[in-house]
Amino acid sequence: DAGVIQSPRHEVTEMGQEVTLRCKPISGHNSLFWYRQTMMRGLELLIYFNNNVPIDDSGMPEDRFSAKMPNASFSTLKIQPSEPRDSAVYFCASSVGQGRTDTQYFGPGTRLTVL
Amino acid sequence: QKEVEQDPGPLSVPEGAIVSLNCTYSNSAFQYFMWYRQYSRKGPELLMYTYSSGNKEDGRFTAQVDKSSKYISLFIRDSQPSDSATYLCAMRGTGANNLFFGTGTRLTVIP
């Protein structure tokens, strides 16, 4: 199993530019999560999907952030326009679902730097 | 007040020491408790998973949950340099999919 795949691994962009982060969950998993990790705030849940449907997006900072999951094997997190305070590591995680088997498996993360 | 509080450390111990990592939480609805380990520049990986109160042991690792005190612990016996990582506690309620994470404790085991 390839695990959760994220791309790009590193992204450096300038303030005001659009940034798109991509995630491929583990095949067969029906829940997908986007997290942001910073030294100050730790790991924060931004949004999660169940069966491709957004369930809770209360963690999305503001309208500049949007996420989509057009099918079970692909999701994007978009920031438009990006700001320096968006600099962080963004993780995607997937799980089978609720219950004792709902371990979340994390991808390697995308390290975003906004100049 | 954050839902989950965790001392960020850093914590440095000599090889072979017993390590104790802790988290407190405020939401009494939390029923599932996890510890994740995160190596530098990697994603978190699940280390231990417990349901409700009690202890769970896996090799050198023991997870404890005290729901009456809203306090969870992870003990590492005979710590090794390879245990050097950031340890994050996480928890959720029944029927909920989203996890609440602590900020993580950075541990260094010195050979």
Side-chain angles (χ1 to χ4, degrees):
Chain A
D1 196 333
V4 175
I5 299 172
Q6 290 187 248
S7 65
R9 294 293 308 277
H10 303 273
E11 177 81 28
V12 180
T13 190
E14 291 187 346
M15 183 174 62
Q17 297 297 307
E18 178 180 294
V19 175
T20 299
L21 311 181
R22 297 173 176 79
C23 175
K24 176 178 169 56
I26 293 172
S27 177
H29 285 193
N30 62 347
S31 292
L32 183 140
F33 307 81
W34 281 102
Y35 291 91
R36 178 171 66 179
Q37 188 175 43
T38 60
M39 290 289 289
M40 291 298 294
R41 300 172 67 90
L43 201 60
E44 301 174 283
L45 178 67
L46 300 176
I47 185 171
Y48 82 89
F49 295 83
N50 188 247
N51 293 322
N52 311 337
V53 176
I55 302 300
D56 183 356
D57 65 355
S58 59
M60 296 287 262
E62 49 200 273
D63 292 345
R64 297 185 298 107
F65 285 68
S66 62
K68 294 181 179 179
M69 191 164 186
N71 57 62
S73 59
F74 184 67
S75 177
T76 59
L77 177 68
K78 186 176 293 186
I79 308 172
Q80 167 62 19
S82 58
E83 297 182 3
R85 60 191 168 122
D86 301 330
S87 298
V89 182
Y90 291 81
F91 288 102
C92 175
S94 69
S95 70
V96 172
Q98 295 185 13
R100 295 183 68 82
T101 58
D102 63 345
T103 300
Q104 292 189 20
Y105 294 84
F106 283 76
T110 295
R111 185 172 295 271
L112 173 65
T113 302
V114 183
L115 302 174
Chain B
Q1 182 188 7
K2 291 191 69 173
E3 299 240 30
V4 182
E5 299 280 356
Q6 184 175 9
D7 186 339
L11 183 63
S12 289
V13 301
E15 183 175 353
I18 296 174
V19 176
S20 172
L21 305 168
N22 312 292
C23 287
T24 59
Y25 62 96
S26 57
N27 190 339
S28 58
F30 289 149
Q31 294 282 346
Y32 297 88
F33 303 91
M34 286 139 265
W35 286 94
Y36 280 78
R37 178 174 62 194
Q38 185 177 18
Y39 290 113
S40 180
R41 296 185 178 269
K42 301 285 188 183
E45 57 178 347
L46 184 67
L47 189 61
M48 298 284 284
Y49 186 118
T50 53
Y51 170 68
S52 195
S53 285
N55 293 0
K56 184 174 182 179
E57 189 172 321
D58 184 1
R60 297 184 294 110
F61 298 88
T62 299
Q64 282 187 354
V65 175
D66 182 349
K67 291 190 66 184
S68 62
S69 301
K70 296 188 178 68
Y71 188 87
I72 70 171
S73 300
L74 177 71
F75 297 96
I76 308 174
R77 291 184 300 280
D78 186 24
S79 56
Q80 302 294 308
S82 58
D83 296 328
S84 298
T86 296
Y87 291 81
L88 302 104
C89 62
M91 50 200 77
R92 69 171 180 87
T94 301
N97 237 10
N98 51 318
L99 293 176
F100 292 85
F101 282 86
T103 51
T105 300
R106 197 171 80 189
L107 170 68
T108 301
V109 180
I110 302 166

